[in-house]
Amino acid sequence: MSEHAYAVKGDCANCAALCCIGLAIDKGTRFAIDKPAGVPCPNLDGHLCRIHADLDARGFGGCTAYDCQGAGQRVTQELFDGADWQDDPRLIAPMMDAFRDLRTLHQMLALLAVILPRLPEDDARKISDLAAPMMEPLTPATAKALATGPLPDQIKSALRAFPQLLRP
């Protein structure tokens, strides 16, 4: 698997605004309001933010800084075939669960995108092979199994052999 296979970035246009419902936010320097997970942001209008152009000025700098690293669009498009919790509220819980699991997987993929190119070729190939199931087509059940099973710890363990690459 090439290093480009791990290039993950959020694509809001292909998501169902999962971060705007799935994430809890706490009022403070990055957010102007408190919002629990599972409750749509009051600024959400369909799949768009009605104050997107003014997020920073209105106290929502955390929104402009956030990147789901591709988890949102993958949940929406791959795991739920383009379905939307706004059209079918029964999907809220399963989509939030899948979003949580895919965020775990995509955080690892984003880390690997940075680290794998800096590793010796044999080590990069071994870790890439270990991570390959994350790049396969997933279902909500397989995403949960990967995110909550041994894979995250196996990848972390393999990366511990390279502590110089894990320091900021």
Side-chain angles (χ1 to χ4, degrees):
M1 202 171 279
S2 77
E3 65 190 75
H4 302 292
Y6 294 113
V8 289
K9 175 130 181 69
D11 177 5
C12 299
N14 286 302
C15 181
L18 296 178
C19 61
C20 300
I21 186 173
L23 301 178
I25 58 175
D26 296 320
K27 186 174 182 176
T29 59
R30 303 292 284 166
F31 295 102
I33 62 169
D34 286 319
K35 183 196 83 63
V39 173
C41 176
N43 298 313
L44 190 60
D45 184 15
H47 294 137
L48 303 174
C49 176
R50 71 174 59 96
I51 65 165
H52 190 267
D54 299 318
L55 283 169
D56 288 326
R58 291 186 178 214
F60 289 89
C63 294
T64 58
Y66 181 73
D67 184 349
C68 73
Q69 299 167 319
Q73 72 258 20
R74 191 168 182 193
V75 168
T76 303
Q77 300 303 321
E78 182 178 321
L79 277 64
F80 287 87
D81 239 1
D84 184 339
W85 60 269
Q86 293 179 2
D87 295 332
D88 185 352
R90 294 173 299 169
L91 293 178
I92 291 173
M95 288 185 95
M96 295 307 97
D97 289 344
F99 184 54
R100 181 187 58 248
D101 295 333
L102 263 287
R103 284 179 37 231
T104 297
L105 299 178
H106 279 244
Q107 287 169 353
M108 284 189 292
L109 291 173
L111 176 65
L112 292 175
V114 172
I115 291 179
L116 287 181
R118 298 167 58 195
L119 294 179
E121 189 174 328
D122 287 344
D123 294 315
R125 186 175 17 263
K126 288 175 190 171
I127 294 172
S128 183
D129 289 347
L130 184 63
M134 292 189 288
M135 296 304 295
E136 298 296 324
L138 301 175
T139 65
T142 57
K144 178 169 287 315
L146 289 173
T148 62
L151 183 63
D153 286 337
Q154 291 170 339
I155 291 173
K156 289 174 190 172
S157 178
L159 291 175
R160 281 190 195 103
F162 307 96
Q164 71 280 9
L165 298 179
L166 299 175
R167 291 189 192 105

